[in-house]
Amino acid sequence: MRHSTVCLLTIFILASSVRAYAQTYLPGFTASPYFGEQVRTYTHVPEVRVHINAPSPSSFDPAKPAALVFFALPNGNTIEMTVGKQLKAGDDWHYDIQHIGAQTRFVRTKADAYNLVTVYVEANASTGSLSWPTWRAKYANNPALVKAVVDSVKRMFSAYAPFVVLSGHSGGGGFTFSYMNAAAAIPDDVKRIAFLDSEYNYDDAYGAKLLAWINASSDHYLSALAYNDSIALYNGAPVVSATGGTWYRTKMMVSYLAKTIPFTMESTAEFITYSALNGRIRVILKQNPTRAILHTVQVELNGFIQTMLSGTPAEGVGYAYYGPRAYAPFVQSGNALPQAMQIPARPAG
């Protein structure tokens, strides 16, 4: 009896050890030269370039769900620029202004309930504009096309209970609005919607959808960042109209939601912060007394981290929004991506 108990205990310890060191290799992915991550790049027709960054095989826990964060690129930026890298002499400055790759790695150290997978989506239009607004204008059926991009990635991770996070910067907000236009209601598996100074297309028709979605589940989170672009100047001239920028549009969104959801508002010389539903809605507006252009700085200074962690116990832990770069140790040395495949994920069936 004692011998059998010892044998069973030994088997249990060995089995636990195997599970602890299991490697989860994702089909169709290759090893990245940076941080051991798993990556895949392909062109989704029409004219959408996709790059997926998943945790390393040793870090990907098959027992946890996959959080698919669709980060739609800002106008004029490539995937490589958006991922970011250590800037060297002669490099384009765009490689040092977003660092979504490094910010993703920081978030992975704080959010351990899921496998964080960042899906970079680039509007690689034939015009060469790298602009989601231009791409949307070109394709009248853009809601269905955007939904097809999201669905194709969800199928890749179907074994890991995937859920969706819609994110993006600047014109990338158009990707989120196209997805919202694809159905009468925002799907329940969208767990977070994040606007990084990207609310240009907001109107109250979207407000109605957001209101229904945020009230549908305690797992739904809305986070938004914007700055007072209504007074920003470039060479002495306004950069947007009084009602055309994210400052005005974000306030519109808050005003609509506040008709039925009680908000708290905190105002300082630096920020106006609106919060509701125990932090599930968090909107931070950057004051702009110098009338500067702060469009990208909001992302660079831990903006992606803030919109991913807002409303959770990890919000503000180890970083400060608009503070020093908390993700500096995670910036990769180069920007090599795997050779792009022209075959996206197969349709269901």
Side-chain angles (χ1 to χ4, degrees):
M1 181 70 177
R2 180 181 177 186
H3 176 73
S4 299
T5 302
V6 171
C7 288
L8 288 172
L9 181 60
T10 301
I11 291 170
F12 174 77
I13 292 172
L14 289 174
S16 299
S17 177
V18 169
R19 283 197 299 272
Y21 292 94
Q23 304 281 302
T24 304
Y25 292 95
L26 300 172
F29 284 69
T30 59
S32 168
Y34 316 110
F35 297 89
E37 295 157 342
Q38 302 180 80
V39 293
R40 180 174 181 177
T41 304
Y42 60 90
T43 299
H44 193 287
V45 179
E47 300 181 316
V48 177
R49 187 169 169 242
V50 179
H51 175 66
I52 307 174
N53 177 287
S56 67
S58 60
S59 299
F60 194 104
D61 187 343
K64 295 178 180 179
L68 308 179
V69 183
F70 290 84
F71 189 87
L73 273 57
N75 298 346
N77 285 249
T78 65
I79 289 170
E80 290 84 351
M81 292 172 177
T82 303
V83 173
K85 72 183 189 72
Q86 295 172 8
L87 206 63
K88 298 179 176 61
D91 285 343
D92 189 307
W93 58 274
H94 288 86
Y95 288 102
D96 192 44
I97 61 172
Q98 298 174 83
H99 289 296
I100 302 304
Q103 294 197 56
T104 291
R105 295 174 191 118
F106 181 94
V107 174
R108 283 177 181 151
T109 69
K110 303 297 181 184
D112 60 359
Y114 51 78
N115 298 292
L116 176 56
V117 178
T118 299
V119 185
Y120 300 84
V121 281
E122 174 190 290
N124 192 14
S126 59
T127 59
S129 63
L130 295 171
S131 162
W132 280 107
T134 301
W135 182 90
R136 296 177 76 209
K138 183 175 180 179
Y139 295 102
N141 63 334
N142 62 82
L145 296 175
V146 165
K147 183 178 183 299
V149 173
V150 173
D151 288 348
S152 71
V153 180
K154 284 168 60 178
R155 284 193 293 272
M156 292 182 202
F157 292 88
S158 59
Y160 308 107
F163 63 88
V164 172
V165 175
L166 299 173
S167 183
H169 173 44
S170 186
F175 183 94
T176 294
F177 289 119
S178 283
Y179 191 74
M180 291 172 65
N181 288 336
I186 301 171
D188 183 64
D189 68 354
V190 176
K191 300 301 184 185
R192 181 179 291 266
I193 297 176
F195 294 106
L196 281 79
D197 211 32
S198 60
E199 304 91 330
Y200 296 101
N201 295 122
Y202 174 83
D203 61 41
D204 286 342
Y206 293 114
K209 286 188 173 183
L210 287 169
L211 179 63
W213 168 77
I214 200 73
N215 284 328
S217 172
S218 60
D219 288 336
H220 293 168
Y221 291 76
L222 174 64
S223 52
L225 305 176
Y227 82 106
N228 194 347
D229 54 0
S230 69
I231 60 172
L233 300 176
Y234 178 72
N235 290 336
V239 296
V240 296
S241 69
T243 61
T246 58
W247 176 264
Y248 180 84
R249 296 290 165 173
T250 305
K251 284 191 167 186
M252 274 184 64
M253 180 175 70
V254 172
S255 295
Y256 184 91
L257 297 176
K259 292 176 182 178
T260 54
I261 297 175
F263 275 78
T264 61
M265 189 269 282
E266 180 183 353
S267 181
T268 68
E270 190 168 13
F271 300 112
I272 302 173
T273 302
Y274 297 95
S275 302
L277 303 176
N278 295 318
R280 286 201 294 118
I281 302 178
R282 186 91 74 216
V283 176
I284 303 177
L285 301 178
K286 178 75 175 69
Q287 306 269 28
N288 189 17
T290 63
R291 309 185 75 173
I293 298 175
L294 307 174
H295 185 51
T296 301
V297 179
Q298 298 169 94
V299 181
E300 174 192 351
L301 298 182
N302 308 321
F304 179 74
I305 295 170
Q306 171 60 31
T307 56
M308 285 298 299
L309 298 180
S310 69
T312 75
E315 182 176 9
V317 177
Y319 78 95
Y321 171 57
Y322 227 79
R325 296 181 178 191
Y327 54 83
F330 301 108
V331 176
Q332 61 196 51
S333 59
N335 64 342
L337 297 183
Q339 183 175 357
M341 298 182 294
Q342 299 308 313
I343 306 174
R346 294 181 180 183

